Amino acid sequence: MGASVIFGWNGRGVPLSIVVTGANRHDVSQLAAVLDAVVVERPLPSERRSKHLCADAGYTGELALRIIEEHGYIPHVKGRGQEAKEKRRHPTKHARR
């Protein structure tokens, strides 16, 4: 059986957490484990600006959005094609995930 490695990244591409699972597990099923495994100490949101989590269309479900919010993040989840449409309208903007 293979293995799957799921990373949580910061905005600069630095890994914040790593979760290893069986290859047959979908990334969204491990969302809570990835967010729980963040090893970087972060100030509480009241002491700095809010925490945001940017994700792709695989995280649009109600359960995933609830997990994101329970961990204190503001979700930014883009549906399929939405990011490409926004890129055509504003070509200088970068993806937020």
Side-chain angles (χ1 to χ4, degrees):
M1 175 181 271
S4 179
V5 179
I6 305 166
F7 292 92
W9 305 91
N10 76 358
R12 295 185 178 104
V14 176
L16 298 175
S17 65
I18 299 173
V19 174
V20 179
T21 67
N24 60 342
R25 301 297 304 266
H26 193 278
D27 291 357
V28 73
S29 70
Q30 301 304 306
L31 179 59
V34 169
L35 295 177
D36 288 339
V38 171
V39 295
V40 177
E41 290 289 327
R42 299 185 61 177
L44 295 174
S46 60
E47 298 173 15
R48 60 184 288 274
R49 60 189 189 161
S50 301
K51 297 189 308 183
H52 297 266
L53 190 141
C54 302
D56 61 23
Y59 297 88
T60 57
E62 183 179 325
L63 177 62
L65 293 174
R66 187 172 70 237
I67 290 170
I68 292 169
E69 290 173 349
E70 285 173 355
H71 282 81
Y73 291 92
I74 297 170
H76 299 276
V77 182
K78 301 284 184 169
R80 294 191 186 276
Q82 183 180 1
E83 188 175 298
K85 189 185 305 181
E86 290 176 7
K87 182 72 173 164
R88 284 192 297 274
R89 274 189 287 166
H90 306 285
T92 58
K93 284 193 171 182
H94 298 288
R96 289 198 58 174
R97 59 177 173 90

